[in-house]
Amino acid sequence: MTVSKTADKTAEKSFEKPADTAKGRKDAAEAQGAAEALQLGELSEQLGYVLKRAQLKVFENFLRCMASLQLTPAQFSVLLLVEKNPGRNQTEIASTLGILRPNFVALLDNLESRDLCARIRSTNDRRSHILVLTDKGKAVLTRAKKLVATKHEARLNDLLGQANREALIAMLSKIANEF
């Protein structure tokens, strides 16, 4: 097989600046992607897919609203449950939220290191720890509730309207409890 000198030189040039070639392909792909959105097909009708996309958007908004307090949705949920259920143990809180034990321990370690909650050995079962909010945790939770109500939930209410919001909560609760 013979290759012409012109073809060899063209090949050499294409290998001389791979970053420029890759950048050119990336720029072309981005330009094409901007002009033409990816078609989802049946995926856009899959309830699980749409729920996940909605969850991601809701969590993104929550994180923006809570940036000053540096709270995640899971941390906020833990603080709320501990506040409403004094004296309950960490296994009950984790189970209620559907958080696996190793993940929950790491989450609690973070909250404790920030002095937002504390684990106290149970007097009934020495193997168990009950969770309590610290004074700082109570103050942070009070601020977090205000931010959630005035920014995060308010935005969802504006988007959906009160009746649709209530209907959506009822439908999602039905899936969570009965599916």
Side-chain angles (χ1 to χ4, degrees):
M1 177 177 186
T2 60
V3 178
S4 72
K5 289 185 181 183
T6 306
D8 283 342
K9 290 195 186 278
T10 304
E12 286 174 16
K13 285 183 181 178
S14 68
F15 289 112
E16 285 176 6
K17 298 180 182 177
D20 289 344
T21 305
K23 184 181 182 306
R25 276 191 240 130
K26 182 180 174 188
D27 290 345
E30 287 176 357
Q32 182 180 0
E36 184 178 320
L38 195 63
Q39 299 299 310
L40 296 178
E42 295 86 23
L43 192 56
S44 64
E45 298 171 12
Q46 297 293 315
L47 185 56
Y49 176 77
V50 176
L51 282 172
K52 181 64 176 179
R53 297 297 302 168
Q55 178 200 26
L56 291 172
K57 292 292 187 177
V58 169
F59 277 21
E60 285 173 9
N61 182 261
F62 183 93
L63 291 170
R64 273 192 304 276
C65 292
M66 289 292 151
S68 64
L69 298 177
Q70 298 180 326
L71 283 179
T72 66
Q75 292 168 336
F76 178 70
S77 298
V78 168
L79 294 176
L80 279 175
L81 282 183
V82 171
E83 177 193 48
K84 294 294 180 193
N85 300 281
R88 301 305 283 263
N89 69 41
Q90 64 188 56
T91 302
E92 294 172 298
I93 301 291
S95 177
T96 299
L97 294 174
I99 301 174
L100 298 174
R101 183 178 175 88
N103 298 341
F104 193 69
V105 169
L107 191 152
L108 284 180
D109 288 345
N110 179 283
L111 292 174
E112 274 190 317
S113 72
R114 296 171 58 194
D115 192 31
L116 300 179
C117 76
R119 288 177 262 208
I120 300 172
R121 188 167 307 278
S122 171
T123 55
N124 299 335
D125 180 358
R126 295 189 46 168
R127 297 168 298 167
S128 180
H129 290 90
I130 60 170
L131 300 175
V132 295
L133 293 180
T134 62
D135 290 340
K136 181 179 176 184
K138 291 174 186 174
V140 167
L141 183 57
T142 298
R143 288 179 52 210
K145 285 181 190 180
K146 287 178 185 171
L147 285 172
V148 167
T150 60
K151 292 187 176 194
H152 181 65
E153 289 292 325
R155 183 166 182 211
L156 288 166
N157 287 341
D158 288 345
L159 178 67
L160 298 174
Q162 189 62 31
N164 286 337
R165 180 186 184 281
E166 291 172 8
L168 181 59
I169 287 175
M171 288 184 280
L172 293 175
S173 295
K174 184 174 181 71
I175 291 170
N177 295 325
E178 299 177 26
F179 190 67

